[in-house]
Amino acid sequence: MYTQLSKIQSGTFSTVYRAYDSKYQQEVALKIVEKPTQLAKAKKLAHLVAGEYDILTGLGTGHPNICALLDFHERDTCYVFVMEFAARGDLYEVIRSWKTRSEPRVQVDITRLLPQLCSAIDYAHSRGIAHRDIKPENILLDGQGNVKLADWGLSCRSRISHDSHIGTEKYLAPEAYGKPYDTFLADYWSLGITLLFVMFGACPFKSADVSKYLQNPNFAQFVADPQRFTSEYYFKPLHAGRDTVATKRHTSHRRTVSDDGPAEWLCLPQIGRPTLSREQILVLFTTNVVAHLLLVNPAARSMRAFLIRMSSLLVPANTCYSCDADNQPAAKLPTPSFENMSSEFYFPGLVSNPGTVLPMAAKDKGGYQSGGSTSSATTGANSSSSASTSSGSVATSQGSDSKNSGS
């Protein structure tokens, strides 16, 4: 039986609830997909659900950093995916809680996040599965801060895809706007954009569609000179003494760059002697992201090379900051000393209705057995601070970044 339901979030096609599985005595997440009343739409949705079920069963429960399917049910009015529950929610909301000064706030340990996320992607690829929608909203964190890569609804089992515009626009690889393309290498690009968002709280551009340079000069400038673009877009605001993200001005706990440094939601490793500043560490990380993941030529991307280069930098920090509902800090962030960014840090050559599932027997397995991969339309771009400029200058990462409401 699943009891004590509470709504977590709603999307275009589904609603997710937090529930308690009394049979196995654990919290779970119920993804409820309501069946349309129109026959044509119902058939299309059934195909999508069958594809997602096929992907999730193909992934299995063997990898600790993939949000696993625990059970599946089909009812007259809906489909129910019983998934692992991630207590800390998605990465986007974790970062947003720091932007808006919401409680509780907990830092994300990047020395844990990065290798775990890459491991989940590599595992899926080893099973012949491409995610095709990697973004912060689909990266969940459990109670211990471990990654659970989720939402495999747009995934496919094809290394080469003939479907274009599959995924969320701001995270789509340039080649994904045309066809055919390598889905695994496209995942690497999405990973790179995701990591930039994780480090700075903003995506670098609205779209990487090479056919629309005039509509997106930020991307054009990134292609022309990635080092200069990332310096001006992400790091120049730090030198001006401004926040890298917008925060609510009425709160008494507002933090600025001069207080805790950039990316205050991240627990960063302590590197070098003397220890590098937070800005310098972010420069190193950004350089590797750009050099190995964000290459317009898909064949040049390598997640393996990225991890090898990052391995010496991913030394766990001593403590990470957390703040409970009473706003009592458990550990303090290091105080950075901000120095001007030096070229030596750029390595040469690198560049629903809850009543419909009350109650539900855990032993009742719907067993929706069907193969095939999921193919769907773009989930839509987030309205973002990564706005382009008409004058040709780089638009900085100032401003808020609203979450995509799609599922």
Side-chain angles (χ1 to χ4, degrees):
M1 300 288 289
Y2 301 120
T3 57
Q4 301 177 2
L5 278 77
S6 62
K7 186 176 179 179
I8 297 176
Q9 64 180 17
S10 294
T12 304
F13 301 106
S14 64
T15 304
V16 181
Y17 299 94
R18 178 180 181 178
Y20 183 77
D21 185 343
S22 58
K23 180 178 181 179
Y24 295 102
Q25 298 184 354
Q26 63 180 355
E27 286 188 307
V28 296
L30 301 182
K31 180 179 177 179
I32 313 299
V33 183
E34 299 288 348
K35 293 182 178 180
T37 56
Q38 297 181 8
L39 182 58
K41 290 183 178 180
K43 288 183 177 180
K44 182 178 180 180
L45 182 64
H47 174 73
L48 296 176
V49 169
E52 185 171 0
Y53 177 84
D54 174 64
I55 293 292
L56 289 171
T57 54
L59 291 169
T61 58
H63 196 283
N65 303 123
I66 288 180
C67 190
L69 176 67
L70 304 177
D71 207 345
F72 180 85
H73 306 272
E74 180 178 359
R75 290 290 184 263
D76 291 338
T77 59
C78 65
Y79 304 99
V80 182
F81 291 88
V82 184
M83 310 293 298
E84 287 185 293
F85 176 70
R88 295 189 183 179
D90 68 68
L91 190 54
Y92 182 98
E93 290 298 335
V94 170
I95 295 174
R96 184 173 178 272
S97 70
W98 285 85
K99 291 184 179 184
T100 60
R101 325 318 292 170
S102 303
E103 306 297 347
R105 298 195 305 273
V106 180
Q107 276 191 316
V108 177
D109 186 351
I110 198 167
T111 66
R112 177 183 297 183
L113 171 75
L114 198 153
Q116 288 184 357
L117 179 56
C118 291
S119 178
I121 295 170
D122 185 63
Y123 174 81
H125 288 180
S126 72
R127 295 291 185 100
I129 297 171
H131 190 283
R132 298 207 295 182
D133 198 22
I134 297 169
K135 58 183 179 179
E137 293 92 325
N138 291 337
I139 300 169
L140 309 182
L141 299 175
D142 68 12
Q144 290 71 48
N146 295 306
V147 166
K148 296 288 184 180
L149 184 57
D151 201 344
W152 298 81
L154 297 179
S155 304
C156 70
R157 288 183 177 272
S158 302
R159 178 71 186 259
I160 303 300
S161 175
H162 294 272
D163 301 320
S164 62
H165 296 77
I166 304 299
T168 302
E169 187 177 17
K170 290 193 301 180
Y171 300 88
L172 274 180
E175 66 275 13
Y177 289 90
K179 53 186 180 181
Y181 67 94
D182 188 310
T183 57
F184 291 7
L185 300 180
D187 273 354
Y188 295 166
W189 176 280
S190 300
L191 169 64
I193 299 295
T194 295
L195 293 177
L196 289 182
F197 184 93
V198 168
M199 289 188 286
F200 302 104
C203 291
F205 26 78
K206 292 180 178 180
S207 167
D209 188 347
V210 295
S211 67
K212 297 181 179 180
Y213 269 7
L214 295 179
Q215 292 94 324
N216 192 6
N218 271 13
F219 178 60
Q221 293 184 44
F222 173 83
V223 173
D225 192 337
Q227 295 180 10
R228 179 179 178 181
F229 174 83
T230 53
S231 175
E232 292 186 6
Y233 185 77
Y234 286 123
F235 292 101
K236 189 175 181 179
L238 304 184
H239 300 159
R242 302 192 298 268
D243 286 348
T244 55
V245 296
T247 54
K248 289 185 177 180
R249 307 221 175 239
H250 64 267
T251 177
S252 60
H253 300 288
R254 181 177 182 270
R255 302 185 183 194
T256 63
V257 169
S258 60
D259 294 327
D260 289 330
E264 57 185 342
W265 50 82
L266 288 180
C267 184
L268 297 176
Q270 297 177 355
I271 301 172
R273 293 186 180 181
T275 303
L276 298 180
S277 71
R278 292 178 67 83
E279 180 187 349
Q280 291 170 332
I281 294 172
L282 290 176
V283 170
L284 288 170
F285 283 15
T286 302
T287 300
N288 282 301
V289 168
V290 170
H292 299 293
L293 301 177
L294 295 181
L295 298 163
V296 176
N297 177 11
R301 298 175 204 149
S302 173
M303 189 172 69
R304 179 179 177 83
F306 170 69
L307 283 172
I308 291 174
R309 195 69 194 227
M310 291 292 294
S311 61
S312 62
L313 305 178
L314 297 177
V315 180
N318 294 330
T319 57
C320 287
Y321 175 95
S322 65
C323 189
D324 59 23
D326 296 324
N327 202 38
Q328 297 298 319
K332 294 183 178 180
L333 286 164
T335 301
S337 58
F338 291 98
E339 302 172 9
N340 290 333
M341 191 165 50
S342 171
S343 60
E344 67 180 292
F345 292 105
Y346 285 116
F347 304 118
L350 296 181
V351 285
S352 171
N353 178 8
T356 62
V357 291
L358 286 173
M360 189 180 299
K363 64 181 179 180
D364 179 14
K365 298 182 182 295
Y368 195 100
Q369 301 291 341
S370 179
S373 60
T374 301
S375 174
S376 181
T378 302
T379 59
N382 301 350
S383 56
S384 166
S385 60
S386 57
S388 60
T389 60
S390 58
S391 62
S393 60
V394 174
T396 63
S397 58
Q398 306 299 314
S400 61
D401 200 343
S402 61
K403 185 175 182 179
N404 181 6
S405 61
S407 174

